[in-house]
Amino acid sequence: MENCPVISLENVNGAQRSAILEKIKDACENWGFFELVNHGISPELMDTVERLTKEHYRKCMEQRFKELVASRALEGVQTEINDMDWESTFFLRHLPQSNINEVPDLDDEYRKAMKEFALKLENLAEELLDLLCENLGLEKGYLKKVFNGTKGPTFGTKVSNYPPCPKPDLIKGLRAHTDAGGIILLFQDDKVSGLQLLKDGQWIDVPPMRHSIVVNLGDQLEVITNGKYKSVEHRVIAQTNGDGRMSIASFYNPGSDAVIFPAPALLEKEAEEKKQVYPKFVFEDYMKLYAALKFQAKEPRFEAMKAVETSPVATA
């Protein structure tokens, strides 16, 4: 079975640049996912973030999760559950304004580590967007500019723990979906597996790898590249064993008022008869639709946005 591509960013600004760009291009066109190593975020910082995340879960969230499970009587369940995920999560917002200081229960050391980690991830996301521009033949900074809108990009982190599950055959850690946004950077547990992506009709493991960052592309990059790059369905399988799995997913997304549409430079390269395939829309409108349809296929979402785009604007 094929393995998710692993790409080292070491020497990306040196002699290896063209080879690294080629690997990224292949991963974006054929996988929608890749694992990055030598990405410039220190192992020490990643170890600190992992330790504090697991401590925070045990101290502040584990009991709440057990109570939720008990309240839904999931222990004795016999049939597959399709309306719930076996995960315990909280969210942090970094851009346009950080809310890390307002999130309850976080101790000062954890807040500080997460702020530093978010800043490193933000820089990495922007570096990756420029590498994508180079591969696509777009001017440097094009993707960042599109994402900016008038208020700058939105950037946030979903911190998840997937506790051991007594019925992993009946409930997913996280149901299959594509990500709505731009570029997603994931720091996942290096001991407990669970993340899988869909490739050619097969579910393929994205294996735990120490100090790696898993990168995947969201729906917005599929639209901007007019389908050259695709967002890919992925899911998390619940596990019965271990201490559970940690996942820190950071989403570098367009700003709420950013207007998303296929890059004209990419359309020019297409044959004349192959018109623009994807819609033009405001990111916030797409997110409202996605919120209700996250665990369904993405294609009807794109079609729905086309309908919004072509309907006449009502005037008073």
Side-chain angles (χ1 to χ4, degrees), residues 16-17 34 103 156:
Q16 297 296 312
R17 187 175 184 84
F34 51 96
V103 176

Side-chain angles (χ1 to χ4, degrees), residues 74 77 80-81 86 163-173 235-241:
L74 292 179
V77 76
E80 188 165 358
I81 297 171
W86 190 268
C165 175
K167 299 277 180 77
D169 51 328
L170 297 181
I171 185 167
K172 296 284 180 288
R235 67 184 185 183
V236 176
I237 298 298
Q239 307 284 6
T240 53
N241 56 349

Side-chain angles (χ1 to χ4, degrees), residues 31-302:
W31 286 83
F33 263 81
F34 51 96
E35 264 190 274
L36 272 188
V37 294
N38 301 315
H39 41 63
I41 302 176
S42 79
E44 294 77 20
L45 176 58
M46 296 180 84
D47 288 344
T48 300
V49 166
E50 180 171 359
R51 173 177 61 81
L52 293 171
T53 298
K54 289 181 173 178
E55 283 175 8
H56 176 263
Y57 173 72
R58 281 193 295 270
K59 191 168 68 182
C60 302
M61 301 184 74
E62 189 169 30
Q63 189 54 37
R64 258 181 259 165
F65 185 80
K66 285 176 178 169
E67 286 164 8
L68 169 74
V69 169
S71 73
R72 294 203 48 166
L74 292 179
E75 294 290 344
V77 76
Q78 300 299 324
T79 55
E80 188 165 358
I81 297 171
N82 294 314
D83 63 347
M84 181 183 165
D85 302 308
W86 190 268
E87 63 172 0
S88 168
T89 62
F90 68 94
F91 296 87
L92 300 172
R93 191 177 64 247
H94 315 301
L95 294 174
Q97 284 94 31
S98 170
N99 71 345
I100 289 185
N101 289 336
E102 286 86 68
V103 176
D105 300 336
L106 305 185
D107 63 35
D108 289 344
E109 186 187 8
Y110 193 26
R111 281 184 219 275
K112 181 169 173 284
M114 290 306 275
K115 279 183 190 171
E116 186 184 346
F117 189 47
L119 202 55
K120 301 279 189 199
L121 288 168
E122 182 189 339
N123 292 336
L124 180 58
E126 291 176 356
E127 181 186 359
L128 287 168
L129 287 179
D130 275 343
L131 294 175
L132 298 194
C133 284
E134 197 170 328
N135 273 338
L136 290 161
L138 298 171
E139 64 186 87
K140 187 173 181 185
Y142 178 86
L143 290 170
K144 186 170 188 294
K145 197 166 92 184
V146 170
F147 278 32
N148 273 353
T150 64
K151 306 169 188 166
T154 46
F155 183 45
T157 295
K158 176 187 176 189
V159 181
S160 305
N161 281 275
Y162 297 93
C165 175
K167 299 277 180 77
D169 51 328
L170 297 181
I171 185 167
K172 296 284 180 288
L174 180 59
R175 289 162 284 168
H177 63 288
T178 64
D179 288 329
I183 191 163
I184 298 88
L185 307 179
L186 167 70
F187 173 28
Q188 65 168 347
D189 203 294
D190 67 344
K191 295 180 184 68
V192 183
S193 64
L195 178 62
Q196 296 183 326
L197 65 90
L198 190 63
K199 181 162 184 353
D200 304 327
Q202 300 284 318
W203 286 106
I204 293 176
D205 289 329
V206 181
M209 186 181 294
R210 194 156 166 73
H211 299 139
S212 75
I213 297 283
V214 177
V215 178
N216 72 287
L217 309 181
D219 295 349
Q220 306 313 302
L221 284 174
E222 179 166 336
V223 172
I224 294 168
T225 65
N226 205 39
K228 191 175 177 66
Y229 296 170
K230 297 275 200 298
S231 61
V232 169
E233 267 195 80
H234 51 285
R235 67 184 185 183
V236 176
I237 298 298
Q239 307 284 6
T240 53
N241 56 349
D243 295 327
R245 174 177 174 269
M246 176 204 79
S247 154
I248 301 173
S250 296
F251 299 81
Y252 188 99
N253 290 346
S256 58
D257 69 350
V259 180
I260 304 300
F261 54 94
L266 296 180
L267 293 178
E268 286 159 19
K269 292 175 185 171
E270 307 282 326
E272 280 303 310
E273 69 273 9
K274 191 180 171 206
K275 294 259 175 29
Q276 179 174 315
V277 176
Y278 288 84
K280 179 177 185 176
F281 52 83
V282 175
F283 180 59
E284 188 171 35
D285 293 339
Y286 186 84
M287 288 307 289
K288 285 176 187 161
L289 183 72
Y290 179 85
L293 304 173
K294 174 175 178 177
F295 298 108
Q296 296 178 27
K298 64 189 166 184
E299 289 76 15
R301 297 198 289 264
F302 294 147

